[in-house]
Amino acid sequence: YKRLAAEAKAKRLSLELKQLMQEKTNLDGQVQKLNDVNEALESKVRELEHAEEHAKAHTETKAELEAARKAKSNLEVKCRALELASKRKSTLLTEAKEEKTRLDVEVQKLSDIVEALRSAVETTEQ
């Protein structure tokens, strides 16, 4: 019974591990997308800063620059939050892998005990 329970738990943890790995992959993809957008925004900020130097009196350019800076700042906050979430998923993934390894060892021990008991029963029956 313990072996079956341990095997079931190992299977469940294996599924959870796969889910965590998929979530981490998704988060990594989101972080990459946000980094790409961030790079585009940084480029836009540089463009607008250059335009600002050539047209200091042009208030529309200043407003665009400020909007781009705010968007960049907001994006940096979102990127940081996603990076933290990704690190947390990595930690959970590591913990799940360690638990699965521990359970695999436990299942093997229980299997060895079951085999030893079977062998003892066969020897006793003979």
Side-chain angles (χ1 to χ4, degrees):
Y1 174 74
K2 285 185 179 182
R3 182 176 63 94
L4 289 175
E7 287 175 349
K9 188 172 183 181
K11 284 181 183 178
R12 182 179 51 78
L13 286 174
S14 180
L15 287 174
E16 289 177 9
L17 182 65
K18 286 178 186 175
Q19 289 173 339
L20 287 171
M21 289 166 62
Q22 183 61 45
E23 288 176 23
K24 183 186 181 311
T25 299
N26 291 342
L27 284 174
D28 289 345
Q30 290 175 8
V31 167
Q32 184 56 51
K33 285 178 186 175
L34 287 173
N35 284 336
D36 292 345
V37 172
N38 189 36
E39 286 179 31
L41 280 174
E42 286 176 351
S43 174
K44 181 69 174 174
V45 167
R46 285 190 297 273
E47 278 180 39
L48 290 172
E49 286 171 343
H50 185 71
E52 185 181 40
E53 290 173 12
H54 291 88
K56 288 191 185 274
H58 199 301
T59 57
E60 185 178 310
T61 301
K62 288 182 180 179
E64 287 177 356
L65 176 61
E66 189 55 36
R69 285 181 177 148
K70 285 180 182 176
K72 179 180 178 284
S73 176
N74 290 339
L75 193 61
E76 286 171 344
V77 169
K78 288 177 184 176
C79 282
R80 182 67 185 140
L82 277 172
E83 287 170 359
L84 291 173
S86 180
K87 286 179 184 178
R88 178 66 184 141
K89 289 290 181 185
S90 292
T91 300
L92 290 173
L93 187 62
T94 300
E95 290 172 0
K97 285 178 182 177
E98 290 170 356
E99 180 67 8
K100 183 183 180 308
T101 300
R102 189 190 68 74
L103 284 171
D104 287 345
V105 170
E106 189 68 25
V107 166
Q108 185 59 50
K109 286 179 184 176
L110 291 171
S111 294
D112 292 347
I113 291 169
V114 167
E115 190 55 41
L117 288 173
R118 281 191 189 134
S119 179
V121 167
E122 288 175 6
T123 303
T124 305
E125 287 176 349
Q126 291 176 358

